[in-house]
């Protein structure tokens, strides 16, 4: 008995529909100065700690979409043509603050005077690597040091990396413990979870600036070329664009189009248990995407009282955040659902 071509096609469609999608595997690979995070053998991101001579804090860098496009700026680690060359301390995804007992751990880099009131975050231990199918956990430890190398805070951070089709998630749970003395996080706009995004995810701008050329050298540009620059912020509070800066919301999403016409949405989600929830957003059109819950007086331009968050010696505080990377835009309903799931 011969089957018609229509029957064969129908059976093939049924077979494909009944075949479960291939399960993705997230693995961790420890290397010199970094732990690479791989999805089915392809780089997703890496926890890097090259040392304070190169970078004054650990970071996740680069961060790639499922297709391999970077959502993070390359400069200064790996310059790409057409990138801004401002803020050398903006590398990948990081967590620090601008005023910890008077020390600035946000702006520290090799470009500043080392005699200034700058602190450094030094990785002290890769404590645990655990792989579990389509997710993996990485636990690390670090010391937040003053300019003399004395620890002020001990950090323990657990990252959970997961893959679901083209969707990528990074959950970060950071515990900070005051070491020796009380620690004050004085209200300061420079904080706290920061992400510096690729040029394509910036807001279009016509202001002059400095950029890298094809050889990585700095070039002054009198008027910006906005070709391919497509970024736009949108918050859970219904605020769009540059107006997101200095407002509170449980999440903000940044949408745009990456090379090879890849639409992407990068969303940072705050957790209800965090101090200062919902966080203020220190989100700038030039590519800084940051959540700062610790500076209500500064972020509100004086409308709120200072927090000046204080940790007594020996006490700890926990911060939880999720970074969600998806294809295309996500509507508010979907992001509210994601935030509710993260809150649990």
């Amino acid at each position: 008995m011969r089957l018609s071509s229509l029957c064969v096609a129908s059976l093939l469609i049924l077979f494909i529909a009944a075949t479960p999608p291939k399960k993705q595997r997230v693995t961790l690979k420890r290397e010199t100065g970094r732990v690479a995070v791989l999805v089915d053998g392809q780089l997703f991101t890496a926890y890097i700690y090259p040392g304070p001579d190169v970078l004054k804090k650990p970071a996740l860098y680069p961060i790639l979409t499922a297709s391999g496009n970077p959502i993070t700026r390359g400069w200064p680690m790996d310059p790409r043509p057409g990138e801004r060359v401002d803020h050398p301390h903006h590398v990948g995804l990081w967590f620090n603050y601008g005023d910890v007992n008077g020390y600035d751990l946000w702006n520290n880099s090799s470009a500043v005077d080392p005699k200034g009131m700058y602190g450094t975050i030094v990785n002290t231990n890769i404590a645990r690597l655990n792989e579990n199918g389509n997710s993996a956990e990485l636990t690390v430890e670090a010391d937040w040091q003053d300019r003399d190398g004395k620890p002020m805070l001990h950090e323990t951070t657990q990252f959970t990396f997961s893959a679901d089709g083209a969707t990528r998630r990074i959950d970060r749970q950071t515990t900070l413990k005051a070491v020796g003395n009380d620690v004050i996080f004085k209200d300061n706009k420079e904080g706290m979870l920061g992400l510096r995004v690729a040029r394509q995810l910036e807001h279009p701008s016509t202001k002059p600036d400095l950029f890298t050329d094809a050889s990585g050298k700095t070039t002054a540009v009198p008027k910006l070329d906005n070709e391919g620059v497509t970024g736009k912020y949108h918050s859970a509070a219904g605020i769009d664009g540059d107006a997101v800066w200095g407002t509170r919301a449980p999440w903000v999403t940044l949408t745009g189009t990456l090379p090879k016409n890849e639409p992407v949405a990068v969303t940072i989600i705050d957790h209800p248990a965090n101090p200062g929830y919902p966080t203020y957003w220190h989100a700038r059109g030039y590519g800084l995407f940051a959540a700062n819950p610790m500076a209500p007086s500064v972020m509100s331009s004086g409308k709120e009282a200072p927090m000046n968050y204080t940790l007594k010696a020996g006490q700890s505080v926990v911060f939880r955040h999720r970074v969600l990377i998806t294809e295309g835009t996500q509507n508010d309903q979907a992001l509210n659902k994601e935030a509710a799931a993260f809150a649990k």
Side-chain angles (χ1 to χ4, degrees), residues 310-331:
T310 301
L311 268 183
K312 295 294 184 181
Q315 288 185 345
S316 299
V317 61
V318 179
F319 297 89
R320 301 171 180 86
H321 296 92
R322 170 170 289 179
V323 179
L324 174 71
I325 305 165
T326 58
E327 288 183 315
T329 59
Q330 298 289 303
N331 61 40

Side-chain angles (χ1 to χ4, degrees), residues 179-200:
V179 178
N181 300 306
D182 295 354
V183 173
I184 300 176
F185 297 81
K186 190 174 180 180
D187 280 40
N188 189 293
K189 74 177 178 65
E190 311 287 25
M192 189 168 199
L193 179 77
L195 173 67
R196 185 59 191 261
V197 299
R199 172 73 175 138
Q200 295 83 4

Side-chain angles (χ1 to χ4, degrees), residues 5 29 32-33 36 45 92 101 119 128 160 217 230 238 262 264 317 323 341:
S5 59
K29 184 179 180 182
T32 302
T45 186
N101 280 359
R128 183 172 179 265
T160 302
K217 295 181 181 178
T230 58
E262 181 183 3
V264 67
V317 61
V323 179

